[in-house]
Amino acid sequence: MSTPAPFRVAITADAVRADGSSIHGDLGLGRLSEAGIDWHVLPSYEDPIPAEHLEGVDAVLSLGHIHFGEETLAAAPDLRLVARFGAGYDTIDLDACTRAGVLVTNTPAAVRKPLAAAGLTLMLALAHQLFAKDRLTRTSRWGEREHFRGASLDGATLGIVGFGSVGAELARMAAPLGLRVLGNNRSGAHPQARELGVELTGLNELLAASDYVVLCAALTPETEKLIGRRELALMKPSAFLVNIGRGPLVDTDALRTALRQGRIAGAGLDVFDPEPLLPDDELLSMENVVLSPHSLCWTADFTRDVSASAIEAILDVAAGRRPRNLLNPAAFGVRGAETAGAAAAAARL
């Protein structure tokens, strides 16, 4: 009786080196080795992944935003799982994956607290004009500090667009600061809204009433450029916009104009469109903008929890189990993932 081939995992090369070390820190790849799973880092970063790099690959651990569409999936008949390192999956065609029987998982619970903390960090930095005051101090311009007075948090209104798990965590963190919190999402409901004292309302009402607007929404065709010229015009001139969701949620040209003309007080951005920013982008020189290179939530607990969740999904599929955080449950069993995984697991016992 022949021994089944080991479960093979390919790791995208956008954030991992050939030896498995990562810009995020220890990913816990040793757990895969201990389970008898073969893993390797792809030889180069290419998007989409070339077909020859997916030959014989059962799962891809995608650390960035690699595209998975019909052509890629058709050229990868052995592929059973795309495990996303993080919550976003806007570059993955879920319908195509479901038709092909390829499972897709993400790690929403693991990013909840770090991402909410990132949103709060940008809010606080904007409220206190932290980076403008940092520059004053570094350039010995103490005499100008009277022109950089902070904004109030106590009694101010925080509007969270895309009120889901991250938004709920942000509301929980903001509660001790005395903020009134409004929320907006597609369903108009959230199980924790009442408990957290969050009033769910329409987008227009939220924008008009809020002193701080934080974008936590997922990027979909419906949410692309959700915040454009019209929406920015609804905001108070004293209000701040924070984006920790995805860059294309905002019409960047409209945002530059609003900031330049003082239609809003400032912006805190961890995500951009395009990304990375071009060296001559006007946002880079604006005093009322706080910027972070899509990494503000990268903390030790982020790496620990996201890695553990993604690795657990791979271990589950390799053993024939249905993984947690499965985004397309209808795909389970289409390619016989659970049968092949169970057989391979039994052979290793």
Side-chain angles (χ1 to χ4, degrees), residues 42-224:
L42 292 172
S44 59
Y45 172 67
E46 297 180 66
D47 184 16
I49 300 171
E52 59 269 23
H53 292 171
L54 292 173
E55 186 175 348
V57 169
D58 297 287
V60 173
L61 175 56
S62 179
L63 277 87
H65 302 286
I66 297 287
H67 288 77
F68 286 87
E70 288 188 359
E71 290 187 13
T72 300
L73 298 168
D78 298 308
L79 189 62
R80 299 287 180 266
L81 169 69
V82 176
R84 267 287 292 124
F85 185 93
Y89 53 93
D90 44 277
T91 56
I92 300 175
D93 187 334
L94 273 187
D95 290 337
C97 287
T98 300
R99 289 192 297 270
V102 175
L103 310 180
V104 181
T105 61
N106 65 348
T107 63
V111 303
R112 187 183 74 246
K113 287 187 177 181
L115 198 53
L120 184 59
T121 297
L122 289 172
M123 282 177 55
L124 292 170
L126 289 165
H128 292 279
Q129 300 205 43
L130 177 62
F131 287 91
K133 292 176 179 179
D134 176 85
R135 287 188 289 269
L136 291 183
T137 308
R138 292 176 187 275
T139 54
S140 299
R141 294 156 55 202
W142 287 57
E144 298 178 37
R145 60 185 176 174
E146 64 182 279
H147 303 299
F148 295 89
R149 192 175 302 277
S152 176
L153 286 167
D154 188 27
T157 298
L158 163 62
I160 302 173
V161 179
F163 189 79
S165 62
V166 173
E169 188 64 38
L170 176 58
R172 188 175 291 109
M173 291 180 176
L177 301 176
L179 287 152
R180 171 195 180 206
V181 183
L182 303 178
N184 171 265
N185 58 28
R186 286 179 295 177
S187 69
H190 190 280
Q192 294 179 293
R194 178 173 294 183
E195 169 195 342
L196 294 168
V198 176
E199 178 187 347
L200 295 175
T201 186
L203 179 61
N204 291 350
E205 292 78 9
L206 180 149
L207 294 172
S210 297
D211 300 290
Y212 302 88
V213 174
V214 180
L215 306 182
C216 302
L219 179 62
T220 66
E222 293 73 28
T223 60
E224 186 170 359

Side-chain angles (χ1 to χ4, degrees), residues 49 51 76 109 111 125 127 141 174 183 191 207 220 259 263-264 268-269 276 281 290-291 310 332 348:
I49 300 171
V111 303
R141 294 156 55 202
L207 294 172
T220 66
L259 290 166
R263 295 179 191 168
I264 63 173
L269 308 172
D281 196 298
V290 178
L291 306 172
F332 189 68
R348 290 193 292 270

